[in-house]
Amino acid sequence: MNSPLIDSHCHLDFADFGAERAAVLDRGRAEGIAWFVTIGSGRGAGSAPDAVALAHEHADVVATVGIHPHDAKLATDEAFASVEALADDPRVVAVGEVGLDFHYDRSPREAQGAVLRRFVALARRVKKPLVIHTRAAPEETLAVLREEGARDVGGVIHCFTEDAAFARAAMDLGFDISFSGIVTFKRSDDLRAAAKTVPLDRMLIETDSPYLAPLPFRGKRNEPSYLARTAAHLASTLGVREEDLRARTTENAIRRFGLDRFAR
Ligand SMILES: [Zn+2]
Ligand SMILES: [Zn+2]
């Protein structure tokens, strides 16, 4: 019997799943997904309430709440307050995804920084971990996390694409490292090299669905049921048994998000 898996990062509220959402969840369960961490961030301030609603509808779904760095320009005081009001919900296990994305620069960098700082403060107030999105802003992200005391709550660097030095610095700040389907891509040799430096007890896995489908589904809409492919690929990259990788990453996600507090 395979160890169950936890999809530590999926966007179940996105319209990509639409009417198929229930079937997507069922296919995930059939492939061994024990928990779906749905990210309430990515559609302005609109993802957070939808993610929380999904977490209340399904016993195996929990939510996070935040405002994506792409949407930092939309993070008015009112929008922030609406997300903040949900952070205390018992089905909310983390604050995020929040962070810096200087690759796409869809919001001004100053706005991204200000929003990130605000959400780190919120995470500390509600004592919940952070889910961090970082792209093309490694030093800036680490600086904000350090300056704002993110270490008090720790969290996850999601969809990790940085190098070993960044992983080390993030782990020192109390962050676990989460790998997505990108580790299965042919050109991800640098990422696989970085993954080898992350201890198994600091590693999570995720789909980031509907994005980033792992091989052999690359280019298609991703969904939680594909997580097993990423687990298998990562295990062979690291030279560990697939069963060990599944069990350890599941254990880590349970610990990181406090999932054992929920009766199932
Ligand atoms: Zn992200
Ligand atoms: Zn995401």
Side-chain angles (χ1 to χ4, degrees):
M1 180 64 186
N2 281 334
S3 164
L5 293 168
I6 296 178
D7 190 348
S8 74
H9 191 114
C10 51
H11 293 270
L12 297 176
D13 68 299
F14 280 18
D16 308 65
F17 294 120
E20 233 204 308
R21 189 170 292 111
V24 163
L25 284 166
D26 279 339
R27 282 200 292 274
R29 291 170 188 132
E31 290 295 324
I33 308 287
W35 287 101
F36 305 83
V37 181
T38 195
I39 302 299
S41 169
R43 295 187 296 111
S47 270
D50 289 349
V52 172
L54 284 166
H56 281 276
E57 249 167 71
H58 303 279
D60 50 4
V61 176
V62 287
T64 71
V65 294
I67 294 178
H68 197 282
H70 290 340
D71 299 328
K73 57 180 180 289
L74 307 174
T76 58
D77 285 349
E78 195 187 6
F80 180 82
S82 73
V83 175
E84 183 181 30
L86 295 165
D88 277 314
D89 187 287
R91 301 290 296 181
V92 169
V93 297
V95 170
E97 62 184 285
V98 293
L100 301 176
D101 194 316
F102 293 176
H103 176 76
Y104 288 109
D105 277 328
R106 291 205 193 137
S107 281
R109 294 181 176 185
E110 310 76 69
Q112 294 186 40
V115 171
L116 174 57
R117 286 177 197 276
R118 216 165 165 177
F119 276 104
V120 175
L122 173 61
R124 294 180 61 193
R125 187 175 67 66
V126 299
K127 298 187 169 57
K128 291 182 181 179
L130 285 152
V131 175
I132 298 294
H133 171 110
T134 181
R135 182 118 191 243
E139 289 314 316
E140 294 87 344
T141 299
L142 290 170
V144 172
L145 295 179
R146 267 190 209 108
E147 288 162 20
E148 301 300 322
R151 185 197 294 274
D152 291 350
V153 289
V156 181
I157 306 294
H158 110 86
C159 194
F160 188 80
T161 51
E162 298 295 332
D163 61 9
F166 183 97
R168 182 72 262 160
M171 288 188 287
D172 288 347
L173 279 169
F175 285 79
D176 296 331
I177 309 295
S178 180
F179 292 95
S180 70
I182 294 176
V183 288
T184 72
F185 298 170
K186 282 191 181 60
R187 280 180 303 177
S188 296
D189 286 335
D190 291 349
L191 179 59
R192 284 185 284 271
K196 288 178 187 169
T197 71
V198 175
L200 217 44
D201 65 349
R202 302 300 301 274
M203 197 176 275
L204 268 57
I205 52 174
E206 65 175 81
T207 57
D208 203 11
S209 51
Y211 309 122
L212 296 171
L215 291 179
F217 306 112
R218 189 170 183 186
K220 292 178 59 177
R221 184 196 68 187
N222 195 7
E223 61 172 62
S225 66
Y226 298 166
L227 185 63
R229 305 286 181 146
T230 298
H233 202 284
L234 191 55
S236 87
T237 294
L238 301 175
V240 302
R241 289 172 53 233
E242 191 178 333
E243 176 58 19
D244 288 342
L245 186 113
R246 292 174 67 112
R248 297 295 290 280
T249 54
T250 291
E251 217 178 278
N252 298 340
I254 288 172
R255 188 177 62 236
R256 175 51 75 190
F257 296 119
L259 299 177
D260 47 9
R261 68 180 181 266
F262 299 106
R264 284 278 300 277

